[in-house]
Amino acid sequence: MDEINLRQKFLLILIIVTVSRNAISYSEDVAQSFRGLFTRHSNKRLSSIQADFVSNVSLDVCTGECVAAARFQCKSFSYDSIRRSCFLYAVNLNDPDVRLVDVEGRDHYETSYLKQFARLPSHEVRLMTSQSISSISPEECARRCILETRFKCRGFNYEHVVGQPVRCLLVESSPATGSQAAMTNEATDFYQKETEGAISSFINYGMGMLRPTITSEVYQRSVRGVTADGCAQRCLDETTFDCLSFDYVHEDDNRQNICHLSQYIAANVQGLVVDSVNPRHNHFERIERFLNYFYATPYAVIQGNNMKTFTKVTPNRCARLCMEEDAFVCRSFDYTVVPEATCLLSSKTSRDVGGLDTASGHVHHFEMKPLLDCGGNLTEPEGGFASPNWPRNYAHHENCVWNITTSRNKVIELRFTHFDLGLQSSDECSDEDDRLVVTDSGYRPYCVKPNTKTVTTKTNSVRLQFLSNAEVDAQGFRAFYRAEWTCNMLLKESPGEFASPKWPENYPSGSRCTWRITAPEGQRVHIVFTSFALEHHALGHCNEKLDHVRILDGGTVGSSLIGLYCGSRPSFAVVSSGQDVLVQFSSDNDPQASRPGFHAKFVFEAMNGSISDKDSRFINIGEGVEASKWQGTEEEDTRVVGSLSSSEDLLSARDESTSNGFRSAMWAVVTCLLLLVGALAVALFLVIRHYRRKINGEMEKSVDEDDSYPMESMPLQSIESSFRKNQFNNRVDLTGGAEAVAASCTITSRNEDAATTFEEEKLPSASTALMHPRPPPRLHRPQSSYGKYHEDNVKNINVEDKTQV
């Protein structure tokens, strides 16, 4: 059934309805396909009289009844969720004098065949049309294309020339087939039917090609003579580079198609350009993971309804931001290629604002597809799910079950970006409420409470059941899940593994985890840490106030300590002396100190195994053992342990507590020695300074006594020394006025004939001294640098010659 296209499904259902209307049975896939063809209006019905009525059916059967109606063209239907009744209409909101009427408990569904088409505004496919219909809406034109049986309709051109009736032109070709490129035409929009094959993994952005750059080649590979689908397949299969787009040239000058593969998208090269010489080229970009959840409409935009903006992001990143937005329900986004690759999130869709506006530049619109899955089995390490019809309100009488299963050694973390199931009664998990029931494997079921943000399971398997009643509906919920490493768990199955939260990513600050590993009676626990990278501690000594791992040889917190571990270290192993081991991990509240953490694997082994010494608990793994590749199997476990059975390895095995005690003692001794050396150095410095001050004081006292004699009675040798000292210190006593200054600076020798006068620059003048006073002279101890007084400078000095002063 999956391989039959949508049109064949319709025909098959039509035959079944014709034979027996009450015997219709739809598969889950077909029902989901039908739901995707309609848009829901909650608590509404049409003002017209229904064309047909079916009682006691489900919503999916009612949807199929409208699609397969043979007596008339069913354009819409209403469904009464309380009476489970189906009302089929031959008209819709596009017909004159038809409107919606409020009614409690009934929802109206309008056909939305356009959802099966990718719109390319201002483009057309210039080929001979197979059928032309005038004066019909795009929705009706899409319905004609889907239900066409005379030829295979691949899309249609919708002409809206001013002053002329609109026309619907059905075509058998499209750019995806490679027979014709989409060319620009302002008065026409091309609608391409959802494609199959490799080309369905790409978005066609119409006429244009990647803008050439100066620094690098935009194309990494080119191939001639392939179809557009073949070009898409080559891009998907490319292994030498990450192929994200391709430009497809329809029949160049040599009448050959050319496929250009590239690792860039339009946002990387500032948009697209049009080759004026050969305009028959289209640009295709790969639909990456998160873009799969959106309808793409190139060159269109919602004006003035953007609620959050991001710059310098790819379209795929923008799609993820929209899906994970929790401040509001993001339903669409506009993506501007130039100048800054801007992402504009919005809570509105084209239906909410009356349609899209055509954009003149490189601006594209993306609308979130309704999530139609009602349950399923999820086994990937991470993923997401939502209430049916998200991001719109869910329907009545929903009963959806999701089963999420991850690897045995992990738990499941659920994160809800939105959770609104309407008004809730005071009773938890009441049958009167819409509810999401969580059943953790082996535990009692419970209901998710309103405004819940996260839920963490206790096992690796969980069942979630969503139930809605017939009375009211609400926005619903959007959830993402991720397999996380266990924290605070009892591990009793071998082989097993555990790790710090979010490993190999950085663990969060403030983490507190405890693992108790219990082996059967008569066995012990052998743990191998394959990766270990925690916060670095000062001086290499582990501090329990910082990030660390603490291992106890027993099942209680009072058990003996095996070791305290921190920082980064190579792979190592720990073996318990009994059947229990308690592993505790703690991180402080400093987010800057966060590291990848650790990962460990363990097995149970007999007490008399290859490592028999119960005190040899801490075992360094040599270079011959690749602990990171150890998978915990019996064969590999023997290889790991066997590599330690040699005498050399056994001699290197030590008790961890003794090792830690020895290292702690060594660090303590080193610290004490450093402190002692520092204290001695300080004491020695103080003693030296004390004696230097004492010597200086005695020298100064001696000099003061020498200077206390009157200059007239001083011997020539003392006078010369005093004069020399005053000249060296460059100090002048101003208490005696200018005369005293002159007297202190001019000295007469007994030999008046040999008079020598010092130069002015060697001694300041009296006027200079008076204008720039200095503190009273303080004599210092004469220094040895004075040297011997030269006789030619002191032979004859005339005291009476005061003109020098």
Side-chain angles (χ1 to χ4, degrees), residues 264-304:
Y264 302 108
I265 60 176
N268 299 135
V269 295
Q270 293 293 303
L272 304 176
V273 294
V274 177
D275 187 354
S276 57
V277 178
N278 181 17
R280 298 187 301 273
H281 46 258
N282 288 165
H283 179 69
F284 295 81
E285 289 189 6
R286 191 169 181 173
I287 303 176
E288 297 183 80
R289 176 184 175 185
F290 295 100
L291 283 176
N292 275 306
Y293 296 95
F294 290 81
Y295 297 114
T297 306
Y299 310 106
V301 66
I302 289 182
Q303 297 286 358

Side-chain angles (χ1 to χ4, degrees), residues 494-709:
S494 175
E497 56 183 328
F498 60 97
S500 55
K502 299 189 180 302
W503 185 88
E505 299 177 8
N506 287 4
Y507 52 80
S509 58
S511 298
R512 301 289 186 274
C513 295
T514 300
W515 297 270
R516 179 182 174 182
I517 309 174
T518 301
E521 191 70 29
Q523 294 187 349
R524 61 183 179 182
V525 183
H526 186 135
I527 305 175
V528 175
F529 286 85
T530 62
S531 176
F532 199 94
L534 270 60
E535 177 186 5
H536 178 71
H537 294 199
L539 301 177
H541 180 65
C542 294
N543 186 346
E544 291 193 3
K545 294 182 179 180
L546 304 179
D547 303 353
H548 68 276
V549 171
R550 192 166 178 260
I551 303 180
L552 303 176
D553 193 11
T556 63
V557 293
S559 302
S560 60
L561 178 66
I562 292 180
L564 192 68
Y565 308 93
C566 61
S568 298
R569 58 191 306 158
S571 301
F572 64 95
V574 174
V575 181
S576 68
S577 62
Q579 68 179 117
D580 290 309
V581 166
L582 202 65
V583 181
Q584 297 175 324
F585 168 67
S586 176
S587 65
D588 56 27
N589 294 321
D590 183 9
Q592 301 297 328
S594 181
R595 298 292 187 274
F598 67 90
H599 174 256
K601 299 181 179 182
F602 67 88
V603 292
F604 302 151
E605 62 183 18
M607 290 293 187
N608 57 354
S610 55
I611 303 180
S612 58
D613 185 0
K614 70 176 183 179
D615 292 329
S616 299
R617 304 184 193 121
F618 174 73
I619 303 171
N620 288 317
I621 296 183
E623 296 180 355
V625 180
E626 298 182 56
S628 60
K629 297 182 179 180
W630 181 68
Q631 302 296 324
T633 62
E634 182 178 357
E635 177 182 355
E636 290 173 326
D637 178 43
T638 303
R639 176 174 60 83
V640 172
V641 176
S643 66
L644 299 171
S645 59
S646 65
S647 58
E648 182 179 355
D649 290 332
L650 287 176
L651 288 175
S652 65
R654 297 171 296 173
D655 181 79
E656 177 58 17
S657 59
T658 303
S659 175
N660 277 345
F662 177 74
R663 287 199 299 269
S664 300
M666 288 297 297
W667 282 115
V669 170
V670 171
T671 304
C672 291
L673 289 176
L674 291 176
L675 292 175
L676 181 60
V677 171
L680 290 175
V682 172
L684 182 61
F685 171 77
L686 294 175
V687 170
I688 293 174
R689 188 174 67 172
H690 171 73
Y691 280 101
R692 289 185 63 182
R693 287 182 175 178
K694 185 175 180 180
I695 295 172
N696 290 342
E698 293 176 355
M699 298 287 293
E700 290 176 0
K701 182 177 180 181
S702 176
V703 173
D704 291 339
E705 293 176 353
D706 293 341
D707 291 343
S708 63
Y709 296 102

Side-chain angles (χ1 to χ4, degrees), residues 345-378:
L345 305 186
S346 176
S347 62
K348 305 294 184 180
T349 63
S350 57
R351 191 183 75 180
D352 299 324
V353 298
L356 298 175
D357 295 327
T358 301
S360 57
H362 297 282
V363 182
H364 313 304
H365 181 70
F366 297 82
E367 289 191 6
M368 188 179 296
K369 299 177 181 178
L371 300 181
L372 305 176
D373 294 339
C374 183
N377 296 318
L378 307 176

